[in-house]
Structures are given as C-alpha cells and as structure tokens.
Amino acid sequence: MPPAEAAITRRRALALGGASALGAALLTACGPAPEPPPRTISAMPPADPRRAAPWRAEVVQAGLDAYFGAPSPQLLHYAHPVDPAADAPFHYWWNAHAIDTALDAAERTGDPADLDRAQELRRNLTLRNGDELFNDFFDDMGWFALALLRLANATGAAGDESALEDAIRLHDHIWDLGWSRQGGGIVWEKGQYHYKNTPANGPFVIAGHRLHRATGESRFLERARASLQWWEETLVEPSGFVHDGINRNRDGAIDTDWRFTYNQGLYIGACVEEFRTGGDPARLERAALTIDVSLAELTNGPVFAPDGDGGDAGLFAGIFYRYAGQFLAEAEHPALREFITTSTDALFENQYRGDGTLLAGDDWSAPAPASTDLSTQLTAAMATEVAAVLARA
C-alpha cells in the first residue's frame, strides 16, 4: 500500500468508532429528529472584497448543511451523495472538527444557532461514541479536547464548566495512558505503544498550553513542553519540515514519505501557543520556517497539492489553514496571507455551484468531483473562515 493511501484509510481499516452496545441503544432511543433548517444566502457574491470573504465562508457552511446535514442521531453524513456504507463507522475526530467549524461560524456571525449547533455536535459525539468521552486514539481525543476548550470559551457558553472539565479529563487521560516511558512522546493508539507521531503530539501540545493559561496549573505546561521537546528532537527538520511519525513498523524509521499539510499546521500551531505562553519571538520564527517550507514544497500553483482523495486526508489541509490563521493573528507573513487569498479564490472559481452553496473537492484547481467526503468539505469551511477573519483585519 503506498504511504499516502495508508494514511487516508488507516482509521477506516481499523474500523474506528463502531458504536458500543450502549451507544447503539442510546441512538435507537433518541429516534429521528427533523433536519436542521438550511442556511439561506444570496447566490451572487458581494462586490466589496471585504464582504466577499465572509460571504464565501457562509456559502461553504451552507454547503455543509445542504449536502451533509442529517437528522439526529447521524447529524452529519460522511459522504455526498449519501452512502450508507460511509455512514456506518463513527468518525470521532471528524466530528471534533465539525464542532470547531461550527464555532468558526458562531464567531463570525454571532448567531446563537451556530453556537447551539456546536453544543449539539458535542453531545452527539459522546453519544455516538457509546456515551463515552474516551476512545482508543490519542490524536482523536486531543482534537476533541481542543474543540471543548473553544466551546468553554465561546460567547454564550459562560457557566458551562463541563466543557473545560471534559477537556481536562481528556488531557489527563492522554498523558496517563499515552505518554511513552521509552524515550518520551505521545503514542498514536492504545495497544500500539511503539508508534509515535505528529498527529498525537501536536494537539496535546496545543491543548496543554491553552489549559495552562485557562487554569494556571503548571502540570499542563510541563506536559506540553515535554511533548514538544520530544517532537522537535525527533520529527522536525532544521528546515522546518515536519514528518508524520516514527517506528510505525517497529524498525525505528521515520515516515519521511508521508509529507502532509496537517503535520506542518500542527507544528505552526504549537509554536504559536508556546509564544503566547512564554513570549519568545524565536517561536514565531520557527513557525515561519515551517510556513515557508510548506508553501515551497506542498503547493501546486495557487493551491495545496491534495494530500489524498477524501477520507482522513480530506481534513489535512484544513488543519494547516486553522493554525496558519493563528499565526497571522500574532505576526505578519505576506506570502502566507496571499496564499490563503489565492487558494480560496481558486476554490470558488472552480467549485462554486452558483446557487449559494459550494461542494468541495480535494483539488481546488479542478471542478469538484461528483462525490466527496465530509472531511473535504470541513477543510473548505476552515479555509474560508480563516480568509473571512483576515478580511476583517
């Protein structure tokens, strides 16, 4: 199996997230609920570029509702057109990113319905996970912790301490069960303690800094810095390029062939959080190196070369965009700002349907394919939400 294909299908192959018997019973008890009302938006873009960027974000969110929205307890179909086989497994980490994407919309619009949607997705994630917070993948739980931290801070969520409490429970669980006693680093999966990777350590570092600042507790910062030290010593090149993982096949080898945008995005995000905690500008300089090498080596003209064909890989570029936006909140990088603009321009030039919705493909330089995955649509939403924030700056 080629490396890229392996990365795309690894969770599917491992049958991630089939609901437990308890979860299945809860899903049955919930029964179907009406589909959420569709977002309505003008089919014509505004002439003012400052208004065009938030319009685009709303168009992609409208596509998310129109093409992937489902009655409870599914809430989100995993493919369009709807495919029962695609909907059968439960994608824990896709749903965590769906919460983040709903929060992006809430921050842009101020509409309580978007925040309600994020809360609904949170409840649904644990419900469909067998009414459990934890699963077997440490990166998955890190993504949910990050979404919960944002939810805890969201306007209108004041007084809901359970989101922060659950984020703490997840971080403690990852540390207690996932920190390697053999050389350090967070491992990827329970029962596979030889394999450590960027996807597991990145969210853990970012969440650790945010938890430290939210609670003042030193343990979160100490853990984050221990993980970051292992990560930088093992998987981050002097050029700034970030590799995916090490020792996957128990041979000590680094997966240098797995050159994915999300690894770069995670390291950028970790450097930004270290800067926000410690104030060292060298951290932003390290992030800038990773941005530079990503734009030089992972792009195809004005867009990213696709990391794969849907599946897990559909989400990879969205993670880069999210943390690129966090970097630009702290520092200037004209080439990165231009890339976000030109790539989302290409997305709309090639894949906008002309009816107030967009259905995204993985290759933004080409028309959208006839079928696509929720992961791919979430990436388009993340990117256009970042572009909307930049347009306001």
Side-chain angles (χ1 to χ4, degrees), residues 33-255:
E35 292 192 22
R39 305 173 88 95
T40 56
I41 186 169
S42 168
M44 294 297 295
D48 183 349
R50 290 171 299 181
R51 294 178 58 209
W55 173 85
R56 286 177 172 179
E58 189 69 5
V59 164
V60 179
Q61 294 275 7
L64 189 59
D65 291 347
Y67 303 116
F68 298 93
S72 177
Q74 181 73 33
L75 283 191
L76 289 167
H77 293 298
Y78 293 132
H80 179 83
V82 175
D83 178 0
D87 280 350
F90 172 56
H91 292 286
Y92 182 115
W93 82 290
W94 294 19
N95 283 262
H97 284 286
I99 297 169
D100 257 331
T101 302
L103 289 169
D104 293 337
E107 291 176 0
R108 173 174 49 81
T109 66
D111 187 344
D114 289 319
L115 185 56
D116 290 346
R117 178 65 165 173
Q119 293 277 25
E120 180 185 29
L121 287 162
R122 174 204 173 180
R123 291 188 295 269
N124 185 261
L125 192 159
T126 52
L127 175 72
R128 298 194 65 208
N129 193 50
D131 205 29
E132 293 286 343
L133 189 62
F134 309 131
N135 81 347
D136 288 341
F137 294 87
F138 294 109
D139 58 334
D140 286 13
M141 293 184 282
W143 291 121
F144 193 21
L146 287 170
L148 287 166
L149 280 167
R150 284 189 70 198
L151 193 57
N153 292 327
T155 302
D160 180 6
E161 297 180 357
S162 66
L164 177 59
E165 291 167 356
D166 279 353
I168 291 172
R169 288 178 63 204
L170 283 162
H171 206 262
D172 286 343
H173 184 80
I174 295 167
W175 177 259
D176 291 343
L177 277 71
W179 179 256
S180 172
R181 297 336 191 241
Q182 297 179 329
I186 301 294
V187 303
W188 181 55
E189 180 191 4
K190 295 174 183 176
Q192 193 179 136
Y193 288 92
H194 60 280
Y195 177 43
K196 312 170 200 179
N197 63 9
T198 289
N201 285 270
F204 184 78
V205 172
I206 295 169
H209 278 280
R210 293 179 181 179
L211 280 166
H212 168 68
R213 295 198 299 268
T215 67
E217 294 187 28
S218 61
R219 77 179 193 270
F220 298 119
L221 181 58
E222 291 165 1
R223 294 170 180 175
R225 286 180 167 167
S227 176
L228 180 60
Q229 180 179 352
W230 173 86
W231 186 13
E232 290 185 323
E233 290 175 352
T234 310
L235 295 175
V236 182
E237 295 283 356
S239 68
F241 196 88
V242 184
H243 297 300
D244 191 89
I246 186 170
N247 204 37
R248 178 171 48 89
N249 295 317
R250 300 178 185 266
D251 56 3
I254 293 173
D255 292 315

Side-chain angles (χ1 to χ4, degrees), residues 284-344:
L284 296 181
E285 293 169 6
R286 296 196 71 162
L289 281 177
T290 299
I291 292 166
D292 291 341
V293 74
S294 300
L295 297 182
E297 298 186 14
L298 300 179
T299 54
N300 181 14
V303 302
F304 277 125
D307 287 292
D309 182 14
D312 285 334
L315 261 168
F316 291 1
I319 292 163
F320 180 96
Y321 280 100
R322 179 171 302 288
Y323 293 106
Q326 293 294 298
F327 177 89
L328 290 172
E330 303 293 345
E332 289 298 320
H333 195 298
L336 176 61
R337 182 180 285 267
E338 181 181 5
F339 174 76
I340 292 170
T341 299
T342 58
S343 61
T344 50

Side-chain angles (χ1 to χ4, degrees), residues 50 53-57 108 340 383-393:
R50 290 171 299 181
W55 173 85
R56 286 177 172 179
R108 173 174 49 81
I340 292 170
T384 52
E385 293 287 3
V386 169
V389 171
L390 297 180
R392 297 198 300 267

